[in-house]
Amino acid sequence: MGGFWHYLFNHPGEEVWSWTKTTLWLGALPVVIGLLIALPIGWLAHRYRWTYPPIVSVAGIIYTIPSLVLFLVLPGILGTGILDPVNVAVALTIYTVALLVRVVSDGLSAVSPETMAAATAMGFSGWQRLVKVQLPLAVPVIGAGLRVAAVSNVSLISVASVVGVTQLGQLFKDSLLQVTLARQVDPAVLGILLFFVIAFAFDLVILLAIRLLTPWQRAVRS
Amino acid sequence: MIRFENVGKAYEDGTLAVDDLSLEAPSGQITVFVGPSGCGKTTSLRMINRMIDPTHGRIWLDDRDTASINPSQLRRGIGYVIQHAGLFPHRTVLDNVATVPMLLGTDRRTARANALELLERVGLPATFAKRYPAQLSGGQQQRVGVARALAADPPVMLMDEPFSAVDPVVREQLQNEFLRLQSELGKTIAFVTHDIDEAIKLGDKVAVMRVGGKLAQFAAPAELLSRPADAFVAGFVGRDRGYRALGFAAAGSLPLSDEAAVTLGQTLRAARDVAQDGWALVVDADAKPQGWLALGGLADSALEGTVTPDLLNLGGTLATEAGTLREALDAALSSPSGRGVVVRDDGRFAGTITAAQVLGRIESRAADIRADTVQAANLGGQA
Amino acid sequence: MSAILADSGVTFSGVGKYLTTGSNWWGIDGLLVHIRDHVIYAAIIVLAAALIALPVGLIVGHTGRGVVAVVGVANALRAVPTLGLIVLLYVWLAPKIPVNHGNVLFLHRGGVPTFIAVVIVLILLAVPPILTNTYAGIQAVDPAVRDAARGMGMRGSQVLRRVELPCALPLIISGLRNATLQVIATLTVAAYVPGLGGLGRYIADGAEQAPAQGDPPMLSAAILVALLAVVVDGLLNLVQRLVVSPGVSGRYSSKHTSQPGVTTAPLVEAQLTVA
């Protein structure tokens, strides 16, 4: 492990820190924006059932596009430079939306018809019913999808270093290219550890948010 | 014969699902386990085919201790029907029914041929054979479930609330067909339900169980109604016990009155000639009662037409000669003319009877029973 | 749009030209060979992953034991930065394996350590979707159906083989499909490590040489990978239609239906990770 610490301290720490920051925002932003986009689309697929099959099919097809391909093609469509991290953010947002649309729709549909009927009978308007009854009850399902999206997004970020967008994935490049390094594995080990920590941090944050939003679930568990 | 011998089921935390159960379910008859939820009735049933193993006591199938038989072998020889049928969604109706024979080594062709016959037997057309369970209604699925349990012709059948997931009309239909089937097949059946009316209707013997897995009373339905063992059974059996008990009292030879009936298609004038108290009974060409025709207050000019079905009052129920006092009383009470219609076994009109006449019969029967009971008590005292 | 494309220096016309030039397809370094390699790698990896994940998933689903462990392992594997692990394994393995072994089967000179690293890591990637879908599919089988199967005298293995497995097939196959898609996609990334064939070769080489150009071979390969993914997914979809009972998929002729077909789509079908 000596060589490992040696690498970490001799490597410009500022560089690793700036890579970490890039990785963090590339991990967080697409999940938030993706959720905001997926909510109305998912609601649409739930509310108007005929839109469900086409929406879910399109989402599924988007999902089959390899991330590397998206990273490469997006600059052409967005007009951004190929090294622009915005490409990565947009690509991850697209994946998040594709994954969450179905989850949101299924989550909303899973709220029991009796509960919905009771809310209507008590005088909730359609909008109030959605915001105050249906969405809160769908939080566990949507949250589960969100956790998966966040964790897999983080591991996708490293791929962007192949096309040259600098973030923590750069450490893997270092491992491969810096043949002069005494212990070539060290940057890769550091990179894997940092990606793991970031992924679990995101997972934990979402998990805590779900807990806070669904106090009734804890009441049942205890 | 299924015999429970001091059977108990205790769970690891010490709770007793079934507590020292001893009873004998007679061969060729239906024994119903009934009680509130948590009374151990389903556990008792599932211990018979060792889906659950008892922690105390033994269960015998005729002279064999079930604990000595390999569970899979044991189950293949016992028909099993459950609440939602539990049909295999990936197999056609026909292959569902053929499951156990094929497990037992019957070749596919024979098993399917037999399955087709069984479908017919439970009242499903052959066109259903190639369908999948998801294409059937709940009642149809349950019929397939029964056919599947019968497929290997097991002498013993276990039925766990088989009819409780369907609507009341279909349930009654299934119950009646089940009784008809049983009268042909004569299986030894253990049947679980939470519905006391179903228990009384279907059971030759009824085991009432109470929470804690204790047997409260084991008796024939009529006895359950007339002599509940304790307050729990009395409460569980419920209201209207006296009236419902009449459902087990054979009507015997009732004092039927003759009644001149008109046939569909005859003139209304002819009907008025035979009417009593303004009501005439209408029968079809086979002398089967069709309904009552009201003639009171009709002017002569209105009597030119003929008797047609749409003029009839259909309110009255029919009692059969071989039926029960409950049927007879109900026929009299429900008849618009006050005269209950009694038919022969073949459905042809036999005669009418009034509520007062039925009540007279009920009174005299009750007096006989009271006298018998007193005599029995005296004999008991002497011994 | 075309103006934007021209501005960014990415020309899709260059891609069209590249893909319509016959010499780019044939030969030992042509597109066809790379597509073949891509498919061979993916097949080996998915088969190996299935050999591990299917039995474990079936047993966990059938017994209900080890669910917590399975979910934990699957979640942890999902967080693995695939590229990093491949690099790590390659860097660690490369010095231990002589590079001068020449061509082995479909592997290029010096490709053995890369191949081993990539296969191991991608198996780790492909296992979670197959594993979780398999156990979830088995667990989702209607308890009444399982109870009936036991009550009719099926032994545990018979219940699993004759009832639970056929009922769980849609989910199991969808897990296999997800795993396959991920493997096909991630193989392009894996080519970043030297010595691996497949369509990723073009992308990795192109990115290394002139990342700002978005050169035609690189973009062509990217598009071909997406096409390959769609085609393979379509084929697996076909397999799914063939092997799943109409009673489970609801694909029976509807004219006989007296009740709407019951679909068994679970809430969060584990159609989850991409590479």
Side-chain angles (χ1 to χ4, degrees):
Chain A
M1 279 313 251
F4 173 70
W5 294 117
H6 181 79
Y7 168 81
L8 181 58
F9 288 118
N10 283 324
H11 209 77
E14 275 173 42
E15 206 172 16
V16 175
W17 174 233
S18 93
W19 291 345
T20 307
K21 280 192 288 187
T22 312
T23 308
L24 279 174
W25 79 257
L26 279 179
L29 199 65
V31 173
V32 174
I33 299 175
L35 176 64
L36 291 178
I37 299 174
L39 279 174
I41 303 178
W43 173 82
L44 194 78
H46 153 75
R47 181 67 182 75
Y48 302 98
R49 294 310 289 182
W50 61 269
T51 62
Y52 183 87
I55 287 178
V56 168
S57 303
V58 169
I61 291 170
I62 289 175
Y63 232 76
T64 61
I65 306 173
S67 57
L68 198 52
V69 174
L70 218 48
F71 294 155
L72 286 172
V73 175
L74 274 177
I77 297 170
L78 298 173
T80 45
I82 197 156
L83 291 177
D84 200 328
V86 169
N87 302 327
V88 181
V90 171
L92 295 183
T93 306
I94 291 174
Y95 285 132
T96 307
V97 172
L99 189 144
L100 285 182
V101 159
R102 179 183 180 154
V103 174
V104 169
S105 175
D106 291 348
L108 292 177
S109 301
V111 176
S112 86
E114 291 84 5
T115 306
M116 297 297 289
T120 313
M122 281 186 283
F124 282 86
S125 71
W127 178 251
Q128 285 174 319
R129 203 178 59 171
L130 175 67
V131 173
K132 295 191 176 168
V133 179
Q134 215 173 358
L135 263 182
L137 286 178
V139 164
V141 176
I142 299 175
L146 207 59
R147 287 176 66 189
V148 175
V151 170
S152 40
N153 271 0
V154 170
S155 75
L156 284 185
I157 294 171
S158 64
V159 172
S161 50
V162 174
V163 291
V165 178
T166 46
Q167 25 66 38
L168 281 174
Q170 206 67 22
L171 288 167
F172 305 137
K173 242 182 169 170
D174 281 9
S175 235
L176 209 54
L177 301 179
Q178 295 192 2
V179 196
T180 53
L181 211 65
R183 279 172 50 89
Q184 247 190 309
V185 292
D186 289 342
V189 171
L190 179 66
I192 289 172
L193 280 179
L194 285 174
F195 271 110
F196 250 121
V197 169
I198 292 172
F200 279 115
F202 279 132
D203 196 41
L204 201 65
V205 168
I206 299 172
L207 191 66
L208 284 175
I210 298 173
R211 287 264 171 113
L212 280 176
L213 289 171
T214 59
W216 62 90
Q217 290 217 321
R218 247 171 314 157
V220 172
R221 233 175 269 134
S222 59
Chain B
M1 180 257 304
I2 307 166
R3 189 155 54 89
F4 285 77
E5 191 181 289
N6 305 106
V7 173
K9 174 69 189 177
Y11 287 106
E12 276 174 24
D13 61 355
T15 51
L16 281 173
V18 175
D19 188 5
D20 196 29
L21 178 68
S22 294
L23 62 80
E24 190 175 309
S27 296
Q29 298 197 2
I30 302 172
T31 301
V32 180
F33 293 80
V34 67
S37 45
C39 72
K41 55 188 189 293
T42 294
T43 307
S44 302
L45 185 88
R46 288 164 68 88
M47 286 193 292
I48 298 173
N49 67 352
R50 295 189 59 188
M51 296 290 277
I52 298 173
D53 274 318
T55 44
H56 309 282
R58 292 168 191 285
I59 298 175
W60 301 81
L61 280 184
D62 295 327
D63 52 358
R64 291 192 304 165
D65 182 351
T66 52
S68 69
I69 310 171
N70 170 286
S72 297
Q73 298 296 333
L74 174 72
R75 291 171 196 156
R76 287 173 196 179
I78 298 177
Y80 188 57
V81 187
I82 55 178
Q83 186 172 5
H84 293 283
L87 299 183
F88 302 147
H90 61 295
R91 292 192 183 170
T92 60
V93 164
L94 197 65
D95 286 341
N96 260 286
V97 176
T99 304
V100 179
M102 278 166 62
L103 276 177
L104 290 168
T106 310
D107 67 283
R108 188 181 292 262
R109 183 190 292 266
T110 318
R112 284 186 170 164
N114 290 339
L116 206 57
E117 264 173 54
L118 268 170
L119 281 183
E120 220 165 297
R121 191 142 210 184
V122 298
L124 287 174
T127 52
F128 275 54
K130 290 280 169 239
R131 294 191 194 176
Y132 287 95
Q135 292 171 281
L136 308 184
S137 69
Q140 290 165 343
Q141 290 191 14
Q142 206 46 268
R143 285 168 196 263
V144 178
V146 172
R148 184 172 68 172
L150 286 170
D153 198 21
V156 176
M157 299 246 292
L158 309 181
M159 307 180 80
D160 189 359
E161 307 221 12
F163 307 138
S164 50
V166 292
D167 68 73
V169 177
V170 176
R171 187 184 312 148
E172 170 136 27
Q173 221 175 329
L174 289 173
Q175 287 170 344
N176 293 340
E177 286 181 41
F178 169 62
L179 285 175
R180 172 185 59 77
L181 210 60
Q182 166 66 356
S183 69
E184 292 169 14
L185 300 173
K187 303 284 184 192
T188 304
I189 296 174
F191 189 109
V192 162
T193 180
H194 61 263
D195 176 359
I196 185 68
D197 291 322
E198 184 170 71
I200 285 171
K201 175 171 182 179
L202 300 181
D204 294 305
K205 290 277 220 146
V206 178
V208 182
M209 299 183 71
R210 71 171 98 229
V211 177
K214 286 196 172 63
L215 181 64
Q217 186 168 7
F218 184 55
E223 193 184 341
L224 214 58
L225 291 166
S226 60
R227 253 171 290 173
D230 57 22
F232 167 76
V233 178
F236 192 74
V237 171
R239 291 165 190 276
D240 307 329
R241 286 199 294 281
Y243 178 63
R244 278 155 51 196
L246 293 177
F248 298 96
S253 56
L254 291 163
L256 298 184
S257 309
D258 276 340
E259 172 124 9
V262 289
T263 310
L264 279 173
Q266 284 187 290
T267 62
L268 288 168
R269 198 176 300 280
R272 194 189 55 176
D273 293 343
V274 301
Q276 300 176 33
D277 305 334
W279 289 94
L281 180 68
V282 179
V283 296
D284 66 5
D286 295 331
K288 292 181 178 166
Q290 300 298 302
W292 289 92
L293 182 62
L295 291 143
L298 279 186
D300 277 3
S301 60
L303 293 174
E304 294 308 319
T306 57
V307 179
T308 54
D310 57 309
L311 297 174
L312 302 183
N313 179 314
L314 305 173
T317 59
L318 297 177
T320 50
E321 275 188 317
T324 64
L325 284 171
R326 180 173 170 166
E327 275 180 29
L329 185 60
D330 194 68
L333 292 174
S334 64
S335 170
S337 69
R339 307 190 291 279
V341 179
V342 181
V343 295
R344 296 182 219 282
D345 285 345
D346 60 6
R348 287 186 302 131
F349 176 60
T352 59
I353 190 163
T354 63
Q357 287 170 313
V358 182
L359 284 171
R361 172 56 57 91
I362 291 170
E363 282 288 355
S364 63
R365 177 176 168 276
D368 289 349
I369 292 174
R370 278 195 296 276
D372 284 353
T373 314
V374 170
Q375 204 174 4
N378 287 344
L379 285 173
Q382 282 162 6
Chain C
M1 183 85 115
S2 59
I4 297 173
L5 295 183
D7 280 348
S8 66
V10 182
T11 48
F12 282 103
S13 64
V15 172
K17 201 167 162 194
Y18 186 84
L19 286 178
T20 47
T21 308
S23 59
N24 289 332
W25 287 84
W26 304 99
I28 24 170
D29 209 24
L31 283 166
L32 284 177
V33 170
H34 285 97
I35 292 174
R36 183 202 69 187
D37 287 355
H38 210 102
V39 170
I40 291 176
Y41 299 156
I44 291 172
I45 291 161
V46 172
L47 280 179
L51 280 178
I52 298 166
L54 278 178
V56 176
L58 288 176
I59 290 167
V60 169
H62 181 70
T63 60
R65 281 184 211 146
V67 172
V68 177
V70 163
V71 171
V73 168
N75 278 344
L77 286 180
R78 216 168 252 141
V80 169
T82 314
L83 179 65
L85 206 56
I86 293 174
V87 168
L88 177 65
L89 215 54
Y90 167 77
V91 171
W92 182 69
L93 271 178
K96 301 187 189 336
I97 296 172
V99 180
N100 294 327
H101 53 61
N103 291 353
V104 186
L105 297 174
F106 45 84
L107 296 178
H108 300 279
R109 192 178 166 79
V112 171
T114 310
F115 181 72
I116 293 173
V118 167
V119 166
I120 290 176
V121 175
L122 292 203
I123 286 175
L124 289 182
L125 178 85
V127 159
I130 306 176
L131 184 59
T132 51
N133 273 32
T134 303
Y135 105 82
I138 300 285
Q139 292 249 296
V141 173
D142 182 354
V145 170
R146 197 177 292 130
D147 187 64
R150 278 212 316 137
M152 293 165 79
M154 289 192 188
R155 283 186 296 274
S157 60
Q158 288 174 320
V159 174
L160 183 59
R161 223 160 5 97
R162 300 192 185 189
V163 178
E164 289 173 328
L165 182 62
C167 291
L169 263 188
L171 260 185
I172 294 175
I173 295 178
S174 114
L176 280 171
R177 282 169 71 177
N178 290 334
T180 309
L181 289 182
Q182 285 183 44
V183 168
I184 288 177
T186 314
L187 274 171
T188 56
V189 180
Y192 184 60
V193 184
L196 195 75
L199 288 166
R201 191 75 271 130
Y202 294 91
I203 298 170
D205 291 351
E208 205 168 306
Q209 286 155 15
Q213 302 288 312
D215 65 342
M218 176 164 143
L219 275 176
S220 303
I223 290 165
L224 284 178
V225 169
L227 274 179
L228 185 66
V230 170
V231 168
V232 170
D233 195 46
L235 286 175
L236 288 175
N237 186 25
L238 209 65
V239 171
Q240 181 163 2
R241 288 196 183 205
L242 287 176
V243 301
V244 173
S245 155
V248 175
S249 64
R251 267 184 225 286
Y252 32 69
S253 52
S254 56
K255 60 181 174 181
H256 291 310
T257 308
S258 56
Q259 197 182 275
V262 184
T263 50
T264 48
L267 279 185
V268 187
E269 199 175 323
Q271 210 218 34
L272 300 171
T273 21
V274 259

